[in-house]
Amino acid sequence: MAANLFGRYVWLVDILLRYRRLTYQEISDLWQESGLSYGEPLPLRTFHNHQKAVADIFGVDIKCDAGDGYRYYIAEPERLRGNNLRSWLISSYATLNQIQADSRLEERIIFEDIPSGQTWLTRIAEAMRQNRVLRITHQGFGKPYPNTFEIEPYFLKVVKRRWYVVAHNPYYSERNKAKGVKPDDVYLVYALDRISCIEDTDKTFKMKKDFDVDRYFEGCCGVITSDGKPQRIVVKAYGGFADYLRTLPLHESQCEIKSDDESTLFEYHLKPTFDFYQIVLAQGDQMEVLEPEEVRDEMRNFARNMLNYYSRKEK
């Protein structure tokens, strides 16, 4: 029942985002046609209850403009579009609503599987909600054996079909403090699919007020962080690939600076971590790094190694 109610709230938000302004009667008519209503209209009292619930859950107000034929609209819709989690919830639940309304759609919508999200995601989310310390067994890529240690889970992040937990590590933090090594507090990122075991502890923690996750990932293209400062990087996109970048930017700092019939120049301000090089390399010959020279040199090294791989003669 709770999930069904949440789906109703999402439906209301979704149609107001799409249609922008609707009268109560228009909202009721759309509800009746949606397939979620079993053909019943939306009672006015229920609509007002949904109005209040949307304000509580999503932090936005549905207001009525008497000067525009008593049409309802979402005040400050940019607050929804600027919040990645809320946008994802609305989009996902809106799709789920359509499937529930017509089960025939279930076999016509193809979802990308995220394996790591099925095992540990809810366990870690629950610990985050309760500020509870977890003991995890984790084996990073390239590590010969797993290690078991405690973490204080702060944030969850999904990148390239993998879920990650951003956590304060008490062991390294205490070790740094004892040795006088900076930083005093150590935050690390752990891939959920590299975790083989999670145990609850009876310990709780308080999130450090000075930790800013946006600053932690500032200038990053994925989950690999760096102490360096973001750099100005210019890349050239060839042919129609520029349209791909316009619709799906490589990074939030992307800015188009020049274009002609053959290519387009894009500017970024980011840290050239391995995640960045992976993204550029994945585009093959459709992109070229122009500057700075040290980033261009690193791309040359990657390209040279790849050429050596493909130039080897099979024995």
Side-chain angles (χ1 to χ4, degrees):
M1 183 62 180
N4 186 40
L5 277 175
F6 186 77
R8 288 168 172 252
Y9 306 149
V10 169
W11 176 87
L12 181 57
V13 171
D14 180 54
I15 63 159
L16 287 174
L17 285 174
R18 284 191 284 139
Y19 291 94
R20 297 187 180 181
R21 286 174 173 257
L22 294 167
T23 64
Y24 158 70
Q25 188 58 53
E26 289 170 335
I27 292 171
S28 181
D29 291 344
L30 286 169
W31 169 251
Q32 199 166 359
E33 295 170 3
S34 69
L36 300 174
S37 64
Y38 303 102
E40 298 293 329
L42 182 65
L44 183 59
R45 182 177 178 180
T46 301
F47 167 67
H48 287 314
N49 288 337
H50 289 4
Q51 211 178 340
K52 294 176 183 177
V54 165
D56 290 338
I57 296 172
F58 296 104
V60 293
D61 293 321
I62 297 176
K63 295 186 176 180
C64 181
D65 188 348
D68 186 26
Y70 291 93
R71 283 182 166 81
Y72 290 88
Y73 65 97
I74 293 178
E76 300 181 287
E78 62 277 3
R79 294 182 63 185
L80 289 174
R81 298 189 178 100
N83 185 298
N84 291 338
L85 176 60
R86 289 175 182 171
S87 296
W88 176 75
L89 280 173
I90 292 168
S91 176
S92 300
Y93 252 91
T95 304
L96 180 61
N97 283 341
Q98 292 297 326
I99 295 173
Q100 288 178 330
D102 189 344
S103 59
R104 291 174 300 177
L105 291 176
E106 186 173 354
E107 296 180 356
R108 296 172 60 187
I109 298 178
I110 303 170
F111 291 95
E112 188 174 32
D113 183 36
I114 304 181
S116 60
Q118 299 173 6
T119 307
W120 305 121
L121 190 59
T122 55
R123 188 85 172 268
I124 293 175
E126 182 181 5
M128 288 168 55
R129 183 172 59 85
Q130 298 175 351
N131 283 350
R132 190 172 65 250
V133 177
L134 294 175
R135 184 178 295 107
I136 69 171
T137 300
H138 178 273
Q139 183 173 2
F141 288 110
K143 301 293 183 180
Y145 51 83
N147 286 304
T148 300
F149 49 87
E150 293 181 352
I151 63 168
E152 298 171 358
Y154 272 35
F155 294 89
L156 284 164
K157 182 179 177 72
V158 62
V159 178
K160 298 177 186 175
R161 296 182 60 216
R162 276 198 172 96
W163 279 100
Y164 298 84
V165 57
V166 183
H168 177 253
N169 187 298
Y171 171 77
Y172 286 118
S173 298
E174 291 302 320
R175 187 191 67 173
N176 281 11
K177 290 175 184 177
K179 293 183 176 181
V181 177
K182 298 294 182 179
D184 290 339
D185 289 303
V186 178
Y187 302 91
L188 296 172
V189 182
Y190 303 99
L192 269 60
D193 59 1
R194 305 306 298 166
I195 296 175
S196 58
C197 179
I198 290 183
E199 299 174 63
D200 294 328
T201 72
D202 57 0
K203 303 176 186 177
T204 59
F205 67 91
K206 289 185 179 180
M207 288 184 63
K208 305 286 184 179
K209 293 182 179 180
D210 60 350
F211 180 73
D212 184 338
V213 71
D214 293 327
R215 188 167 68 242
Y216 183 76
F217 285 112
E218 182 183 8
C220 300
C221 288
V223 295
I224 299 176
T225 60
S226 166
D227 293 332
K229 295 182 179 180
Q231 301 181 40
R232 178 180 181 269
I233 298 176
V234 178
V235 304
K236 178 185 286 188
Y238 290 98
F241 189 68
D243 290 332
Y244 180 88
L245 290 178
R246 291 184 183 109
T247 55
L248 190 62
L250 198 71
H251 184 259
E252 59 187 11
S253 65
Q254 177 174 296
C255 176
E256 185 173 332
I257 56 179
K258 187 179 178 181
S259 183
D260 57 33
D261 292 339
E262 296 182 354
S263 63
T264 302
L265 299 185
F266 291 95
E267 177 184 282
Y268 302 90
H269 290 272
L270 49 79
K271 300 174 183 179
T273 61
F274 185 63
D275 281 332
F276 166 75
Y277 292 113
Q278 278 190 316
I279 292 173
V280 177
L281 287 166
Q283 314 315 320
D285 62 355
Q286 298 181 96
M287 284 183 66
E288 176 188 0
V289 174
L290 299 184
E291 54 181 277
E293 192 60 33
E294 59 265 27
V295 177
R296 185 174 171 85
D297 282 343
E298 191 65 23
M299 287 299 301
R300 282 196 190 98
N301 291 333
F302 281 115
R304 190 178 294 115
N305 289 337
M306 291 175 66
L307 182 60
N308 288 337
Y309 295 155
Y310 289 101
S311 298
R312 293 174 184 168
K313 292 184 178 180
E314 297 292 337
K315 294 182 181 180

